[in-house]
Amino acid sequence: SEKEQQEAIEHIDEVQNEIDRLNEQASEEILKVEQKYNKLRQPFFQKRSELIAKIPNFWVTTFVNHPQVSALLGEEDEEALHYLTRVEVTEFEDIKSGYRIDFYFDENPYFENKVLSKEFHLNESGDPSSKSTEIKWKSGK
């Protein structure tokens, strides 16, 4: 009957609300686990970074051989990357809102900055945005 159908629709809504509540609870718990393991990974990231530092031209070689990144690099970009010594990725504390990549450079003929950063943000509706360090170019570069 129509009355039974109406009651079923109302019950579906109640059940869906319970499912949504459990999904939200699961998301919060998953986030806590991710945050915990991000902290536990830090010493290993540090050790890996120290080992990478012992390999000459590691980062320029990595970027030049990456299929997507290499397509974006010009000859001068490649030259500047010879001075790149370390790359660090830091997720924002809540993880969901984004992360920052820090690029560390030795003294070089291209720019004054020792560190160039790029931040990637997601707002509440999931729309991405980014911001970057302003590069302090040396004369003629």
Side-chain angles (χ1 to χ4, degrees):
S1 77
E2 209 169 297
K3 187 175 189 282
E4 287 175 330
Q5 286 181 9
Q6 187 58 41
E7 285 178 7
I9 289 171
E10 288 170 17
H11 287 307
I12 290 170
D13 199 39
E14 290 169 17
V15 171
Q16 187 60 51
N17 287 340
E18 275 304 302
I19 292 169
D20 292 344
R21 189 185 63 76
L22 286 170
N23 287 343
E24 183 59 35
Q25 196 176 337
S27 292
E28 289 171 16
E29 289 186 33
I30 289 166
L31 183 61
K32 286 178 187 156
V33 170
E34 286 179 355
Q35 289 170 325
K36 172 187 172 182
Y37 280 91
N38 276 348
K39 284 184 177 66
L40 292 172
R41 288 184 192 106
Q42 291 310 310
F44 297 98
F45 288 151
Q46 183 61 39
K47 181 65 178 168
R48 181 178 64 186
S49 189
E50 290 166 10
L51 292 167
I52 287 171
K54 296 176 181 181
I55 302 169
N57 298 315
F58 177 87
W59 287 112
V60 68
T61 304
T62 299
F63 289 137
V64 165
N65 288 294
H66 187 280
Q68 284 84 27
V69 176
S70 63
L72 304 172
L73 298 176
E75 207 171 296
E76 282 198 330
D77 299 320
E78 199 175 311
E79 287 302 314
L81 287 174
H82 279 91
Y83 299 90
L84 179 60
T85 59
R86 192 166 93 233
V87 176
E88 285 182 4
V89 178
T90 306
E91 293 192 74
F92 298 144
E93 187 60 33
D94 66 357
I95 296 175
K96 293 184 285 191
S97 68
Y99 58 95
R100 183 182 71 246
I101 305 174
D102 295 316
F103 300 89
Y104 293 82
F105 288 85
D106 277 341
E107 180 66 34
N108 67 76
Y110 298 97
F111 45 83
E112 301 291 342
N113 311 66
K114 297 284 178 239
V115 182
L116 297 177
S117 299
K118 179 133 181 133
E119 290 187 4
F120 296 89
H121 297 268
L122 283 178
N123 65 19
E124 289 297 316
S125 60
D127 295 322
S129 65
S130 68
K131 64 180 185 178
S132 304
T133 305
E134 185 178 337
I135 299 174
K136 296 178 184 120
W137 293 103
K138 291 186 177 177
S139 173
K141 299 294 178 187

